[in-house]
Amino acid sequence: MLLVGLTGGIGSGKSTVAHMLAARGAVVLDADTLAREAVAPGTPGFEAVIARFGAEMATPDGSLDRAALASVVFDDDDARSDLEAIVHPEVRRRIAHEVAARGDTDDVVVVDSPLLIETGAYQEFQVVIVVTAAVATRVARLVARGMADDDVRARMRSQMPLEEKAAYADVLLDNEGPVSSLERQVSQLWSDLRERALSSPA
């Protein structure tokens, strides 16, 4: 098995790369999906969020009000740290479980995580991929999807700068150009990853 970490910044195209790799045969574990599952109704994570942030974080149907929670933690470092302390251990546990189940295979397992670098988790991976694009390109993409320009830039400011993330990369994918260019890069990358996975000892 080859364990690969995939990250980038908002609007860089990380999710697009994850889908491209999955289409080629990679086992993709989406940290955002696992984080949502970690605080689903009925889980210890959900109860911990309500205990920390209040009953108003639950919607009338009993699910988590993600928009309300996001508004609380966005500009509050302490609140965000408290939420991360609830969510991140469970996400790591779920990833570890999935990885362990494939330990004796020749799978390429890709963990798609926006906080791969920030949490220090990048150190656990054999290959770290960072998807890059210029700020102007990323803003234009997200505005075209319906986000307000100010909101996009505020989210970017809350993230580690992409150029800093790039310093941790084993592989940089340049998503400045058309999708066809990204497809070519991913195809070459996939060939390299498969070769490494097949040559790795079980």
Side-chain angles (χ1 to χ4, degrees), residues 64-127:
L64 193 64
D65 189 334
R66 297 182 185 282
L69 184 59
S71 68
V72 168
V73 305
F74 186 73
D75 284 323
D76 186 329
D77 290 342
D78 289 339
R80 185 163 59 250
S81 294
D82 288 346
L83 179 61
E84 290 171 352
I86 294 168
V87 175
H88 288 176
E90 179 63 12
V91 171
R92 286 194 293 269
R93 186 192 69 77
R94 290 171 182 240
I95 289 173
H97 175 77
E98 295 291 339
V99 169
R102 295 173 173 84
D104 294 329
T105 72
D106 61 8
D107 289 340
V108 176
V109 178
V110 178
V111 176
D112 174 1
S113 172
L115 298 175
L116 191 77
I117 309 301
E118 293 89 329
T119 60
Y122 71 93
Q123 299 172 79
E124 302 167 12
F125 294 85
Q126 293 159 281
V127 181

Side-chain angles (χ1 to χ4, degrees), residues 7-177:
T7 194
I10 185 171
S12 66
K14 173 180 63 66
S15 296
T16 299
V17 170
H19 291 143
M20 290 179 177
L21 289 170
R24 287 162 170 79
V27 176
V28 176
L29 306 177
D30 185 338
D32 283 342
T33 297
L34 295 176
R36 287 192 291 273
E37 292 173 357
V39 291
T43 63
F46 178 86
E47 299 303 329
V49 168
I50 297 304
R52 164 60 179 85
F53 296 98
E56 62 271 22
M57 293 298 113
T59 64
D61 68 3
S63 61
L64 193 64
D65 189 334
R66 297 182 185 282
L69 184 59
S71 68
V72 168
V73 305
F74 186 73
D75 284 323
D76 186 329
D77 290 342
D78 289 339
R80 185 163 59 250
S81 294
D82 288 346
L83 179 61
E84 290 171 352
I86 294 168
V87 175
H88 288 176
E90 179 63 12
V91 171
R92 286 194 293 269
R93 186 192 69 77
R94 290 171 182 240
I95 289 173
H97 175 77
E98 295 291 339
V99 169
R102 295 173 173 84
D104 294 329
T105 72
D106 61 8
D107 289 340
V108 176
V109 178
V110 178
V111 176
D112 174 1
S113 172
L115 298 175
L116 191 77
I117 309 301
E118 293 89 329
T119 60
Y122 71 93
Q123 299 172 79
E124 302 167 12
F125 294 85
Q126 293 159 281
V127 181
V128 173
I129 303 166
V130 177
V131 186
T132 67
V135 169
T137 301
R138 295 160 61 202
V139 170
R141 285 174 183 157
L142 294 165
V143 168
R145 294 179 204 165
M147 288 185 67
D149 186 288
D150 288 348
D151 289 343
V152 172
R153 294 182 187 277
R155 291 201 183 193
M156 286 183 176
R157 287 192 297 272
S158 74
Q159 296 181 340
M160 176 185 284
L162 200 45
E163 58 270 20
E164 290 184 24
K165 289 190 177 187
Y168 293 86
D170 298 304
V171 177
L172 284 174
L173 295 179
D174 179 3
N175 191 23
E176 187 64 22

